[in-house]
Amino acid sequence: MKVHRIEIFAVLHERQFGKIRREWCWHALARNGRKIGWSGESYTRRSACIAAMQAVTGADNRGIPVRVLDE
């Protein structure tokens, strides 16, 4: 299956002492919506997440649309 689009999204993690932290993940989707790849880890900065996603998928070179989901 080919990658149809990539979504970058925020997840909330509760840390010690009740502090909630936002971290970023990504996943690659096929045309039918099936998840065919994912980050496997979370990143504290959105820019680090985007850089890792581009290194793995080559999305910046192949014209794959990337959506950033902010809540």
Side-chain angles (χ1 to χ4, degrees), residues 6 8 26 47-61 66:
I6 296 171
I8 297 171
W26 63 268
S47 61
C49 181
I50 292 171
M53 175 270 305
Q54 289 175 340
V56 171
T57 64
D60 56 340
N61 299 330
V66 177

Side-chain angles (χ1 to χ4, degrees), residues 16-58:
Q16 269 185 319
F17 310 115
K19 184 177 180 180
I20 296 176
R21 182 175 195 147
R22 174 191 280 187
E23 295 184 349
W24 297 90
C25 298
W26 63 268
H27 56 232
L29 302 170
R31 187 174 295 279
N32 64 0
R34 184 175 178 187
K35 191 184 326 180
I36 57 175
W38 55 91
S39 59
E41 60 182 285
S42 58
Y43 302 90
T44 55
R45 295 180 323 170
R46 184 170 66 179
S47 61
C49 181
I50 292 171
M53 175 270 305
Q54 289 175 340
V56 171
T57 64

